Amino acid sequence: MPAPPPTRFLDPTLLRSISGIELKARLLVEGMYASRHRSPDYGYSVEFVDHREYTRGDELRTIDWKMLARTERYYVKRFEMESNMNVVCLLDTSGSMGYVPQDKGRLSKLEYGSYLAAALSHLATHQQDSPGLVTFDTEMRDFLPPKQGKRHLFSILSKLENLACKGESDLGPTLKLIGQRLSRRGVIVLISDCHS
């Protein structure tokens, strides 16, 4: 299978400049896969959290035998589980984002926003998180739900290639729809000039 074609929003110099950057969640994140963000669930890892009393059905390997020797009661060790995170970029495609400065060497606001969305999506994919993309003006235009994998990253990049600015901007209806469509907690990045 041939490799997907490179796009202008992820050139090698840009990738080298963001290679040391990492996206981290400050709050707990619920995900399906082990990654690098704290989860509200408990699992197996090196980060010990606390003990709880043994209940019938717990695995014997989770019993803390040293605690049993000290207290003569059975306790189970609990460890912090890590998870993957959804990173959804909301990109404004209203007419005001089409502004181009008089200097022809500079980019439009939409191009700057597309570079930022592409870089964040690349970072999320690189650390096994799930990037997503939403474009909007007065209503939601495109919705690419968060998924993992390079194929999904290239879907986002191809969508960024074909954007056009038009109309006015209204963030409210888009945020309501996003709240209904996204079932898991994650990070939502708003890329807009906030001009209606």
Side-chain angles (χ1 to χ4, degrees), residues 41-172:
D41 302 320
Y42 295 100
Y44 299 104
S45 73
V46 292
E47 286 292 320
F48 171 74
V49 176
D50 62 2
H51 289 97
R52 70 167 173 77
E53 286 198 41
Y54 174 81
T55 56
R56 181 172 280 199
D58 286 336
E59 293 184 36
L60 290 177
R61 66 180 173 174
T62 61
I63 294 175
D64 188 350
W65 298 105
K66 290 180 183 177
M67 194 75 150
L68 173 68
R70 276 186 262 144
T71 63
E72 296 183 5
R73 296 181 75 188
Y74 288 95
Y75 285 95
V76 174
K77 290 181 182 179
R78 294 199 305 177
F79 296 92
E80 186 176 273
M81 189 170 134
E82 295 180 333
S83 177
N84 67 327
M85 174 175 64
N86 287 346
V87 180
V88 180
C89 294
L90 270 66
L91 181 59
D92 185 357
T93 59
S94 64
S96 64
M97 291 291 285
Y99 172 76
V100 180
Q102 291 180 348
D103 180 8
K104 297 299 179 193
R106 297 187 53 196
L107 302 172
S108 70
K109 291 180 188 178
L110 182 63
E111 289 172 318
Y112 275 117
S114 297
Y115 274 107
L116 179 58
L120 288 172
S121 298
H122 171 75
L123 285 173
T125 301
H126 184 67
Q127 61 188 39
Q128 284 81 43
D129 288 330
S130 304
L133 177 69
V134 174
T135 62
F136 70 97
D137 44 38
T138 54
E139 58 188 49
M140 185 170 10
R141 296 296 172 194
D142 299 304
F143 177 71
L144 294 172
K147 287 185 190 173
Q148 287 186 319
K150 295 233 185 249
R151 179 175 288 167
H152 184 64
L153 172 64
F154 283 105
S155 298
I156 290 173
L157 295 176
S158 68
K159 184 61 72 178
L160 291 173
E161 288 285 338
N162 301 318
L163 293 178
C165 297
K166 61 180 182 264
E168 295 184 355
S169 177
D170 189 8
L171 184 58

Side-chain angles (χ1 to χ4, degrees), residues 166-180:
K166 61 180 182 264
E168 295 184 355
S169 177
D170 189 8
L171 184 58
T174 303
L175 288 178
K176 284 180 188 172
L177 277 173
I178 291 297
Q180 293 168 356

